[in-house]
Amino acid sequence: MALYKTNTLKVYNSLSGEKEVFTPIHEGKIGMYVCGPTVYNYVHLGNCRTFISFDLIFRYLKHLGYQVRYVRNITDVGHIVDDADSGEDKIAKKARLEQIEPMEVAQKYTVNFHNILKQFNNLPPSIEPTATGHIIEQIHIIEEIIANGYAYEINGSVYFDIERFNKDYQYGELSGRKIEDMLANTRELDGQSDKRNPLDFALWKKAEPEHIMRWPSPWGDGFPGWHLECTAMSTKYLGKQFDIHGGGMDLKFPHHECEIAQNEACTGNKPVNYWMHANMLTLNGKKMAKSTGNNILPEELFSGQNDILSKAFSPAVVRFFILQAHYRSILDFSDDAILASEKGFNRLMEAIHTLDELPLSDTSSIEVNEWRQKCYDAMNDDFNSPILIAHLFEAVKNINTIKEGKASITKADLETLKNTLHEFTFDVLGLSQQTEQQNNNEKLENVVDLLINMRNEARANKNFSLSDEIRDKLLAIGIQLKDGKEGTTFQL
């Protein structure tokens, strides 16, 4: 019998502001959509926290026996900054700076995104659609919204009519904002003069001659608004109404608010039963930001090549650190905090490794089944990973007391203990056991990558003697560099 039949799962719904008993639309099946990255730069640690949080949720739902269709998009359309209304196209800007095609930018950073999440041991989603692959669907939704009277076209752009929409529905219900307050706080921006109302957001934007990423539409050449892609892709693969929609807390308004409005304007339905939002990650007590330098990339964490931390940390330790906080709470990343997590991670792994060495007895002095239920109770309470981890450390304590001969366990209870620890540590939390050999291999790869970067810099400066020296000395110790169109790779 599937575990979901005997477990009552409660989920915090951002729409109601309360924990609710989770009941899927179709028994045994779940549709879940999570907003993916805009691929114009390297994925940062704050983004990774969101995706690790929803990987935990995905894993636990699967563990309970649900059939989960997990859809997570890739935003590869060059949207404009400031809610797709004004500013400069992020992907086109990056393409201009790097002197490559916009889709090269999208491909480069999509590959980076996948590589980082693979190192964090994230499961891939069931479907990973791209915004550029769903332009036709987005145009169709705009046509439906216009036909229903909730949008208007002007000068080749299409805007969502908030005031008209609010006569029939309620814009702002997810974020708890009132239209009157929003209007009072809205300032006129360049490019908003075509709008009937400052709050109206773009469904389709006319492409100016310099705009690279553009598509034909009934309103002329242009590109879709930022909010529209998620409406199109979520409903295409999960239906007009589905179970879970997730993303970072920063997306609640305006992105998710606009998604709800678009769906209601198009179909008359509320699209999602449970809205879930992961909270932010801070660094040394301050918001992470590239502009201030208070920022760290996952690769810098794994390699130790940064000015913030005292050493390198493995992806498994970083994942463990992230899951030690509840997904809805703010988490502060610091050297002391991650060092403490590493100690805890190592203690957990050492205890799991000693399970087979424990002496057996005819009686058990510990309540294994009661402990197992507490692990489920923690996850059933809105995926409370820090409470689950506390229970895992309760097991670590028991393992150590059994090893010291101060407690006893039967063969059957040991089997239950072992299975539960493995299920929750590796299957649900998604932690991976890193051997010393794996750690050494990662360190070697990081050192070689560093030397490749030094060699590239030497070649750029026409210092070919240093470039050749790096190549030849690596070859002398059995590491061959290969230069190709995609850059330099190495072979051991």
Side-chain angles (χ1 to χ4, degrees), residues 199-347:
L199 290 180
D200 293 351
F201 58 88
L203 296 174
W204 187 265
K205 284 292 287 181
K206 177 183 178 180
E208 298 304 326
E210 66 274 11
H211 200 94
I212 307 171
M213 301 183 83
R214 57 204 294 142
W215 291 266
S217 81
W219 317 284
D221 278 9
F223 52 94
W226 170 35
H227 314 303
L228 193 64
E229 60 177 282
C230 289
T231 294
M233 290 184 277
S234 62
T235 53
K236 174 167 182 174
Y237 298 109
L238 300 175
K240 291 180 180 178
Q241 196 168 23
F242 54 95
D243 299 295
I244 296 171
H245 193 314
M249 196 75 79
D250 57 322
L251 296 180
K252 186 187 286 188
F253 185 87
H255 187 52
H256 291 160
E257 198 75 76
C258 293
E259 276 191 65
I260 293 173
Q262 287 167 166
N263 275 278
E264 289 180 325
C266 182
T267 67
N269 291 329
K270 285 189 185 297
V272 179
N273 285 352
Y274 303 90
W275 284 91
M276 301 181 68
H277 293 94
N279 216 323
M280 67 188 294
L281 185 70
T282 57
L283 178 59
N284 293 323
K286 297 176 183 176
K287 184 178 178 180
M288 282 196 184
K290 293 187 184 76
S291 56
T292 61
N294 194 53
N295 183 56
I296 188 166
L297 295 175
E299 287 105 329
E300 295 170 336
L301 253 173
F302 307 154
S303 67
Q305 298 296 313
N306 62 80
D307 300 325
I308 297 170
L309 303 176
S310 57
K311 62 190 283 292
F313 294 93
S314 72
V317 167
V318 180
R319 183 183 177 99
F320 181 66
F321 166 78
I322 287 171
L323 295 177
Q324 280 185 295
H326 191 268
Y327 77 90
R328 285 192 289 114
S329 64
I330 293 174
L331 173 60
D332 187 53
F333 189 90
S334 68
D335 193 51
D336 288 344
I338 189 92
L339 281 167
S341 279
E342 186 176 53
K343 288 179 183 176
F345 176 83
N346 290 337
R347 274 181 59 218

Side-chain angles (χ1 to χ4, degrees), residues 9-234:
L9 175 63
K10 287 190 173 181
V11 171
Y12 182 87
N13 190 346
S14 297
L15 194 59
S16 66
E18 296 177 353
K19 287 181 189 175
E20 300 175 6
V21 173
F22 179 74
T23 306
I25 295 168
H26 304 288
E27 187 184 346
K29 296 181 180 181
I30 294 172
M32 180 169 79
Y33 185 90
V34 174
C35 293
T38 300
V39 283
Y40 71 99
N41 212 330
Y42 295 111
V43 63
H44 62 72
L45 202 57
N47 294 141
C48 292
R49 186 201 180 181
T50 296
F51 300 125
I52 288 170
S53 296
F54 283 99
D55 184 62
L56 169 77
I57 291 164
F58 181 38
R59 284 172 174 274
Y60 187 61
L61 293 174
K62 283 165 65 75
H63 175 75
L64 290 179
Y66 285 111
Q67 183 182 333
V68 187
R69 177 177 286 179
Y70 175 18
V71 182
R72 187 185 67 212
N73 70 301
I74 295 286
T75 296
D76 59 348
V77 170
H79 293 307
I80 300 291
V81 193
D82 289 333
D83 189 22
D85 284 348
S86 64
E88 188 169 8
D89 174 330
K90 291 180 180 180
I91 291 179
K93 180 180 179 182
K94 195 74 172 180
R96 180 169 51 75
L97 291 172
E98 297 191 9
Q99 295 186 319
I100 56 178
E101 283 288 325
M103 291 314 291
E104 285 184 80
V105 172
Q107 176 68 8
K108 175 181 176 179
Y109 295 113
T110 299
V111 169
N112 167 258
F113 173 68
H114 288 153
N115 286 342
I116 293 298
L117 290 197
K118 187 176 180 182
Q119 290 183 76
F120 277 129
N121 203 32
N122 273 30
L123 297 174
S126 317
I127 303 173
E128 192 173 52
T130 62
T132 54
H134 295 77
I135 300 294
I136 292 171
E137 289 86 350
Q138 293 178 71
I139 289 172
H140 176 69
I141 289 172
I142 297 170
E143 289 175 325
E144 290 288 316
I145 294 174
I146 291 173
N148 291 338
Y150 299 112
Y152 56 92
E153 182 269 335
I154 189 162
N155 296 332
S157 294
V158 181
Y159 294 100
F160 192 91
D161 192 334
I162 292 285
E163 192 173 4
R164 173 66 185 86
F165 173 80
N166 220 46
K167 289 178 181 177
D168 301 324
Y169 301 96
Q170 184 189 346
Y171 182 77
E173 59 180 336
L174 179 65
S175 59
R177 303 186 186 206
K178 293 181 179 177
I179 281 202
E180 302 78 30
D181 297 336
M182 286 188 273
L183 275 171
N185 294 320
T186 301
R187 59 188 173 87
E188 283 293 330
L189 295 172
D190 291 340
Q192 285 193 335
S193 56
D194 288 344
K195 296 181 181 184
R196 294 176 183 169
N197 185 315
L199 290 180
D200 293 351
F201 58 88
L203 296 174
W204 187 265
K205 284 292 287 181
K206 177 183 178 180
E208 298 304 326
E210 66 274 11
H211 200 94
I212 307 171
M213 301 183 83
R214 57 204 294 142
W215 291 266
S217 81
W219 317 284
D221 278 9
F223 52 94
W226 170 35
H227 314 303
L228 193 64
E229 60 177 282
C230 289
T231 294
M233 290 184 277
S234 62

